[in-house]
Amino acid sequence: MTITNHFPRGFLWGTATASHQVEGNNTNNNWYAWEQAGHTRDKSGLACDWWGGRWKEDMERAAETGQNTHRFSIEWSRVQPTPDRWDESAIEKYRSMARGMVERGLTPLVTLHHFSDPLWLYEQCGWETEAVLPCFEKYARKMAEALKEYVSTWVTINEPNVYALNGYVAADFPTCPQGHKGMAVALRVLANMLRGHAAAYRALHEIQPEAHVGYALHYRPMVAARPWFPLDALMRKIQYDGINMAFPSAISSGVMKSPLGKVNIPEAKGLQDFVGLNYYSVDTVKFDWSARKELFGRRYYPADSDFSTNKFIANIPCGLFDSVRWAAETYPDTPIVITENGVEDADDKLRPRYLAQHLQQLWRAVNFNYPVKGYYHWSLVDNFEWERGWSQRFGLWGLDVETQARIRRPSVDLYAEICRENGISDEMVEKYCPEVREKMFPGRNVAP
Ligand code: GAL
């Protein structure tokens, strides 16, 4: 007898991508400038050549392997190359991409902003000033008009917390030509992103009243290294609030709260039709005098973790359940979508069990009646991983960057079986990651 953990009917099964990471030849944005200045391990180059047309074959792959949705992003710098000009041919291309997805049975979910900014915006210091707000709103309107025929679910901004912290605090991401840095400006950027989210939310709804609009939060559950030690607990709280809570607090109350202060943004209150969660792992936080840069709270993974290739991610599946529970308790009656989850693993040794175990935790969450509507695996195919370049391989499909060949990893077939079954079974686990079968389906060796 097979045991299957089934998901609700109509569950969304997909993968997620972002324009700069897959399109290639994106020469008109801040990331291109950052790459040229030598701040990244590699250059994005042709990426996955989606702009050259390979999105079609990748969507073919997604559809043939049972997926029913795809999350992708629009490259703002392509549709608005200069502040005074829309590139209608680029917009038409995005229309054909969205149409192409619909034709293949993939419901498109569109992200308007996924880390990359047009060069002209970068040159005027992007999200540091409120000058960005009317621009972002116009862009949102333009895209809503262009895509409303095919798209009704929107992510306004991807991971505003990562954008602000990786840029203005860690200096791994581009900020502005002057290289501004610091907590104060990071907070200003977050506040403007919230205002931008609110403006785009309203604009999208005005044009498309039935739209579902949210943003994607990079949510990191955290645990204190020594729960009995007050300083670890305090550091955990500071890190947790600092990294996770700016956007969520403003959506709940209209006040953006952070350990560094509060900003009133009443117009953002309540503006999300679904909670978009990007979940990758859980951090352990320890008080550490030497971690000045991290405000004395060192974040790390325990040494005995189930690590990814570059130790960038530890496989901690229950963190996904905890993330969903947090979302459900914070925003009652709001649908939840896992907008990203995945692991870097070129050899596909860890990914099958990472996938299986996370999906079983998601199934657990569904059985608590938490309103989870969909899951987007990061990612469909290896793509350009920002400052880490090509050193991290997150694709179900591998990519040979030189030849553009796609490599079918075993996880492609595991995910296909899950999508088709709308559930995950002990047989699938036995086939693709037998090492966790007993853990996931205990007692299966017992005779009936
Ligand atoms: C997320 C980001 C994605 C992707 C992923 C894996 O933070 O939204 O663009 O890079 O991490 O590193």
Side-chain angles (χ1 to χ4, degrees):
M1 193 180 59
T2 307
I3 294 185
T4 308
N5 297 162
H6 275 119
F7 283 73
R9 210 173 294 142
F11 197 79
L12 290 168
W13 293 106
T15 48
T17 54
S19 57
H20 190 73
Q21 296 179 271
V22 293
E23 286 181 355
N25 283 330
N26 258 323
T27 56
N28 192 27
N29 69 19
N30 57 341
W31 270 91
Y32 185 76
W34 192 240
E35 290 167 31
Q36 298 314 302
H39 294 296
T40 53
R41 183 186 179 274
D42 309 296
K43 295 198 165 69
S44 52
L46 252 197
C48 307
D49 195 24
W50 275 27
W51 204 249
R54 283 184 213 263
W55 66 268
K56 277 192 202 125
E57 45 167 290
D58 284 337
M59 285 307 109
E60 216 52 66
R61 291 184 177 94
E64 276 169 8
T65 52
Q67 297 170 36
N68 57 23
T69 180
H70 185 72
R71 172 179 174 224
F72 73 112
S73 81
I74 307 296
E75 179 57 40
W76 188 358
S77 63
R78 284 200 191 272
V79 304
Q80 195 177 9
T82 53
D84 55 353
R85 192 169 75 83
W86 299 108
D87 182 337
E88 296 297 339
S89 69
I91 294 175
E92 194 42 52
K93 199 143 162 173
Y94 284 118
R95 274 174 58 80
S96 65
M97 279 166 79
R99 189 186 318 123
M101 289 177 204
V102 172
E103 283 165 1
R104 291 171 175 81
L106 300 162
T107 303
L109 185 164
V110 165
T111 307
L112 290 176
H113 185 278
H114 195 126
F115 295 163
S116 51
D117 291 311
L119 260 188
W120 55 265
L121 184 65
Y122 167 73
E123 273 152 17
Q124 65 186 54
C125 292
W127 295 85
E128 291 174 32
T129 75
E130 293 195 22
V132 63
L133 301 178
C135 306
F136 189 60
E137 185 186 333
K138 272 186 209 137
Y139 162 60
R141 274 182 200 286
K142 186 79 181 171
M143 296 324 299
E145 291 290 1
L147 297 177
K148 65 180 182 203
E149 198 178 336
Y150 309 112
V151 177
S152 58
T153 309
W154 306 83
V155 161
T156 54
I157 301 180
N158 178 71
E159 298 190 345
N161 51 349
V162 170
Y163 178 95
L165 295 173
N166 282 15
Y168 291 90
V169 181
D172 286 333
F173 281 19
T175 57
C176 66
Q178 296 76 27
H180 294 158
K181 274 183 70 176
M183 293 286 188
V185 57
L187 270 189
R188 216 160 64 223
V189 163
L190 273 169
N192 284 329
M193 287 188 135
L194 258 161
R195 297 181 182 109
H197 163 75
Y201 178 98
R202 292 209 161 85
L204 289 165
H205 271 284
E206 217 177 281
I207 293 166
Q208 192 182 41
E210 75 281 13
H212 300 280
V213 185
Y215 72 97
L217 172 68
H218 183 96
Y219 182 75
R220 292 200 77 91
M222 294 187 198
V223 292
R226 296 156 294 185
W228 46 267
F229 186 48
L231 279 179
D232 283 0
L234 178 67
M235 291 304 132
R236 188 211 80 93
K237 169 115 180 72
I238 293 173
Q239 293 283 332
Y240 178 88
D241 288 351
I243 289 172
N244 293 310
M245 292 311 289
F247 258 60
S249 58
I251 301 281
S252 299
S253 67
V255 181
M256 183 181 99
K257 294 178 193 141
S258 92
L260 295 174
K262 293 180 180 175
V263 187
N264 280 330
I265 308 182
E267 69 269 31
K269 187 172 170 187
L271 294 199
Q272 101 187 328
D273 304 324
F274 63 91
V275 190
L277 288 178
N278 292 359
Y279 170 77
Y280 286 90
S281 199
V282 176
D283 288 328
T284 299
V285 187
K286 191 175 193 173
F287 173 73
D288 181 348
W289 270 119
S290 65
R292 259 198 56 215
K293 271 196 180 157
E294 295 172 89
L295 304 173
F296 309 108
R298 193 161 59 81
R299 291 191 290 124
Y300 63 97
Y301 300 132
D304 62 351
S305 297
D306 188 14
F307 282 113
S308 66
T309 320
N310 294 295
K311 298 201 165 177
F312 187 67
I313 286 167
N315 176 25
I316 310 179
C318 61
L320 181 57
F321 176 86
D322 293 339
S323 304
V324 171
R325 180 174 52 194
W326 167 81
E329 287 173 357
T330 311
Y331 306 105
D333 303 322
T334 311
I336 297 166
V337 179
I338 306 306
T339 34
E340 285 179 29
N341 171 245
V343 67
E344 43 114 15
D345 180 18
D347 298 331
D348 212 42
K349 290 271 169 9
L350 167 59
R351 187 176 291 101
R353 69 173 173 275
Y354 182 98
L355 185 57
Q357 291 182 287
H358 280 75
L359 289 176
Q360 193 179 47
Q361 290 296 322
L362 198 59
W363 170 81
R364 254 186 84 210
V366 164
N367 283 285
F368 273 72
N369 282 331
Y370 299 146
V372 186
K373 303 296 174 196
Y375 173 86
Y376 292 82
H377 191 77
W378 185 275
S379 182
L380 177 58
V381 55
D382 287 345
N383 56 50
F384 179 71
E385 279 296 335
W386 309 113
E387 81 284 9
R388 289 151 273 135
W390 296 104
S391 66
Q392 296 188 345
R393 303 302 183 121
F394 275 89
L396 292 173
W397 294 81
L399 174 75
D400 181 327
V401 181
E402 302 301 315
T403 65
Q404 283 295 324
R406 271 61 173 163
I407 303 142
R408 192 181 189 113
R409 295 189 171 124
S411 289
V412 168
D413 298 297
L414 168 58
Y415 194 48
E417 289 193 32
I418 293 169
C419 298
R420 289 200 187 105
E421 181 61 39
N422 196 29
I424 179 157
S425 72
D426 58 343
E427 279 173 11
M428 296 174 198
V429 171
E430 178 64 37
K431 185 162 155 199
Y432 294 96
C433 41
E435 70 278 13
V436 289
R437 201 210 55 173
E438 187 55 29
K439 209 175 195 171
M440 291 181 63
F441 297 93
R444 295 298 293 143
N445 290 325
V446 179

